[in-house]
Amino acid sequence: MQRDAIDRLGLSALLLEPEMLEAVEADVHLVGTLLSLNQAMPETTKETARAVVRKVVEELEKRLATRTRATLHGALDRSARISRPRHQDIDWNRTIRANLKNYLPEYGTVVPERLIGYGRAARGTKKDVILCIDQSGSMAASVVYASVFGAVLASMRSLATRLVVFDTSVVDLTEQLDDPVDVLFGTQLGGGTDINRALAYCQSQITRPADTIVVLISDLYEGGIRDEMLGRVAAMKAAGVQFVALLALSDEGAPSYDREHAGALAALGAPAFACTPDLFPDVMAAAIERRQLPIPDGESAH
């Protein structure tokens, strides 16, 4: 109701008053409204606005961080496969698939000539992650959640995380990842969209394609050069990059998006789908392990 009142009654201007900010209930949508008003906000209000944003961000981190770290640490461990595992480290599903040619029908069993095991992730960076976030106005909630997840991923020593936001220009906010509030106030919601330019920048930052995951979070309404955008995705995948396309990262359900571009990405082997914050750790774990992404039931994978 609070959000509807702000939108329908044009109360955004009231949020520029510190007293009003202190009175309203803070949530992801209020954060999005504050970020869209950031440029017009007087200095007397910015301190209050940051406090409101920090409260929401801390609540989101408390809800999401522990499970995200646990899920991704497990995926990183499993992605370090070893060929002579100890018994407790054997990945039986992959071992059986790798030895199906050794099936003995008379005994109803498979002879495991080659064992595949879960490795234990070594020290150092195992994967490079690039979060590429569309900061057009319709993506406000996704920007908030992506900034929180970016900070969580950046806190994991096994991951080298980069966060890039874009509209018609591209801004690299990686240096602010230790504080998602700084990241959020470094965004500028609204404006056009040039996915091709953003992906060109991300492509230039890739040094280990086989160990890189690029996550594009966008409704895919492209104002740049469509064919070049798709060509960049194809080139990254051909080089071994794991490319994930999320139409939204929020609890708001299926967003409006460009179906033609979503279909073109799916044809390249990069299905685009909406993702809730609770599903995001599982999506990242699947990308780390290079297995099929857990697309929600009923979602159009295009």
Side-chain angles (χ1 to χ4, degrees), residues 151-170:
V152 173
L153 299 183
S155 71
M156 299 177 61
R157 286 183 296 177
S158 296
L159 299 175
T161 303
R162 182 173 294 277
L163 189 143
V164 176
V165 298
F166 68 93
D167 41 39
T168 53
S169 60
V170 180

Side-chain angles (χ1 to χ4, degrees), residues 146-195:
S147 298
V148 171
F149 277 116
V152 173
L153 299 183
S155 71
M156 299 177 61
R157 286 183 296 177
S158 296
L159 299 175
T161 303
R162 182 173 294 277
L163 189 143
V164 176
V165 298
F166 68 93
D167 41 39
T168 53
S169 60
V170 180
V171 180
D172 192 326
L173 296 174
T174 303
E175 294 302 316
Q176 282 99 319
L177 267 178
D178 59 335
D179 188 344
V181 176
D182 286 343
V183 170
L184 288 170
F185 277 93
T187 64
Q188 186 172 336
L189 290 176
T193 308
D194 192 335
I195 303 172

Side-chain angles (χ1 to χ4, degrees), residues 15-294:
L15 295 178
L16 300 180
E17 300 297 329
E19 297 78 10
M20 179 66 174
L21 273 181
E22 292 169 355
V24 297
E25 182 179 347
D27 63 7
V28 169
H29 305 288
L30 177 61
V31 170
T33 301
L34 291 177
L35 296 177
S36 68
L37 296 171
N38 186 29
Q39 301 302 313
M41 197 176 295
E43 290 300 321
T44 54
T45 307
K46 285 190 175 180
E47 184 176 342
T48 306
R50 287 185 72 91
V52 170
V53 172
R54 187 168 299 282
K55 178 183 177 184
V56 174
V57 164
E58 287 176 351
E59 289 174 354
L60 290 177
E61 281 190 298
K62 190 180 302 183
R63 167 188 155 194
L64 301 169
T66 300
R67 179 171 175 269
T68 298
R69 292 191 185 101
T71 300
L72 298 195
H73 276 308
L76 288 162
D77 277 351
R78 290 189 296 273
S79 70
R81 303 288 170 179
I82 54 178
S83 59
R84 299 182 64 183
R86 295 173 298 179
H87 184 270
Q88 64 265 34
D89 290 334
I90 295 174
D91 182 341
W92 286 109
N93 287 333
R94 291 196 174 202
T95 294
I96 290 171
R97 286 199 297 270
N99 290 277
L100 286 176
K101 63 180 183 298
N102 302 321
Y103 178 67
L104 301 178
E106 63 271 28
Y107 294 104
T109 190
V110 170
V111 177
E113 290 183 354
R114 183 166 70 92
L115 299 177
I116 300 175
Y118 300 127
R120 295 299 171 227
R123 292 184 180 275
T125 301
K126 303 296 293 182
K127 297 289 182 180
D128 297 337
V129 177
I130 302 176
L131 300 178
C132 185
I133 308 166
D134 184 342
Q135 61 176 355
S136 57
S138 60
M139 302 296 294
S142 297
V143 171
V144 176
Y145 281 113
S147 298
V148 171
F149 277 116
V152 173
L153 299 183
S155 71
M156 299 177 61
R157 286 183 296 177
S158 296
L159 299 175
T161 303
R162 182 173 294 277
L163 189 143
V164 176
V165 298
F166 68 93
D167 41 39
T168 53
S169 60
V170 180
V171 180
D172 192 326
L173 296 174
T174 303
E175 294 302 316
Q176 282 99 319
L177 267 178
D178 59 335
D179 188 344
V181 176
D182 286 343
V183 170
L184 288 170
F185 277 93
T187 64
Q188 186 172 336
L189 290 176
T193 308
D194 192 335
I195 303 172
N196 178 54
R197 178 176 290 186
L199 291 182
Y201 176 78
C202 294
Q203 201 174 15
S204 74
Q205 302 301 305
I206 296 172
T207 57
R208 306 188 305 157
D211 291 313
T212 298
I213 302 164
V214 174
V215 183
L216 172 66
I217 304 174
S218 173
D219 54 17
L220 302 179
Y221 288 111
E222 171 65 319
I225 305 172
R226 174 186 186 273
D227 289 344
E228 283 192 15
M229 174 190 77
L230 296 174
R232 293 187 194 284
V233 175
M236 283 188 273
K237 287 186 63 65
V241 172
Q242 289 291 96
F243 190 90
V244 179
L246 302 181
L247 301 169
L249 177 56
S250 72
D251 288 310
E252 296 178 339
S256 170
Y257 64 95
D258 189 305
R259 294 179 180 274
E260 183 180 349
H261 290 160
L265 286 176
L268 295 174
F273 58 97
C275 177
T276 65
D278 289 332
L279 181 63
F280 185 73
D282 297 318
V283 169
M284 290 302 298
I288 287 171
E289 296 181 59
R290 305 184 75 87
R291 54 182 169 80
Q292 185 174 351
L293 301 178

